Amino acid sequence: DNLDVNATQIQFQIVRDDSKVYNTGKAKITTGHSSYSCSINPGSEYKVRCRACDGDVYSKWSKYSENEKTTPARPVRIKVCRATSKNSVYLEWDAMNTAKTYVIEYATDITRFDRTDQTTTKNVDKNQWELIGLDMGEEYFFRVRAVNDSGESGWSGIKSIVIGTDPISPTTWSSTTTAMVGDPLTLYWVHN
């Protein structure tokens, strides 16, 4: 804004993660103003510099702006989901580059996701977490998203696990100790 230069355009250069020129483009100067926009990818930092141009004549580049973080990239998957006891689960997922925290959402019914009154969320500052106090014998569904000051990523894929211990084999007995082929036989058992 408030451009007072002897030029017709401003050339912008966008650098990603302090290492790679991501995009370069020109925009016309109109009433002392010039702007340029392009699509960027989540999970990175971007900075911009610019210079005035008139045909093939260019000024020196300006200083770079401060780096701006985008929203974090979406965690692709929960890579570890295992029961650590009869009422706890350990989760681990890939760390996202610009994430400050992660939100874990879980429910005992997959259809309850996106119904805030039916799920529980946890904010954690690392890419792993152990949830305790869960109900034994229930199947739990989990998903994760990354968060920073710029916003939230999309949700990861959903992982599920049934927690608890394996049941003991049923106790069995029959109505007789010996049987002949063709004789009726009744089996009984007790669910443990």
Side-chain angles (χ1 to χ4, degrees):
D1 284 326
N2 300 317
L3 294 172
D4 186 17
V5 293
N6 189 16
T8 58
Q9 293 181 313
I10 300 293
Q11 183 179 35
F12 296 88
Q13 185 181 68
I14 298 127
V15 174
R16 179 177 167 180
D17 296 328
D18 284 327
S19 62
K20 178 183 175 188
V21 174
Y22 177 77
N23 193 305
T24 301
K26 293 180 182 177
K28 289 183 180 181
I29 298 172
T30 307
T31 61
H33 170 81
S34 182
S35 68
Y36 176 77
S37 65
C38 69
S39 296
I40 56 175
N41 296 323
S44 294
E45 294 181 334
Y46 294 89
K47 63 183 178 183
V48 180
R49 68 179 180 172
C50 60
R51 65 182 176 180
C53 58
D54 190 10
D56 291 335
V57 179
Y58 293 89
S59 71
K60 292 182 180 179
W61 286 107
S62 69
K63 292 181 179 179
Y64 280 106
S65 67
E66 294 293 321
N67 272 318
E68 292 290 329
K69 290 183 180 180
T70 62
T71 57
R74 177 181 69 85
V76 176
R77 64 188 172 94
I78 297 171
K79 60 184 183 180
V80 177
C81 179
R82 71 171 182 267
T84 53
S85 74
K86 62 184 179 182
N87 63 357
S88 63
V89 171
Y90 173 80
L91 301 171
E92 188 175 326
W93 54 93
D94 293 323
M96 297 293 99
N97 187 30
T98 60
K100 283 179 82 175
T101 60
Y102 298 91
V103 175
I104 302 167
E105 188 173 50
Y106 60 99
T108 54
D109 183 346
I110 197 168
T111 63
R112 291 182 176 170
F113 284 132
D114 298 321
R115 291 171 40 196
T116 56
D117 62 326
Q118 300 297 317
T119 59
T120 303
T121 58
K122 297 284 185 186
N123 292 309
V124 297
D125 60 359
K126 53 192 171 208
N127 65 318
Q128 58 189 358
W129 191 252
E130 186 172 9
L131 297 162
I132 58 174
L134 303 175
D135 293 331
M136 185 174 82
E138 289 282 349
E139 181 174 17
Y140 283 88
F141 298 87
F142 301 92
R143 65 184 185 174
V144 177
R145 71 174 163 201
V147 180
N148 67 14
D149 294 335
S150 298
E152 301 173 333
S153 73
W155 289 106
S156 69
I158 296 172
K159 261 305 209 209
S160 71
I161 188 169
V162 177
I163 61 169
T165 55
D166 292 337
I168 298 169
S169 300
T171 303
T172 62
W173 68 92
S174 68
S175 60
T176 182
T177 56
T178 59
M180 300 294 283
V181 174
D183 287 348
L185 175 66
T186 305
L187 296 175
Y188 301 90
W189 61 90
V190 174
H191 292 289
N192 291 323

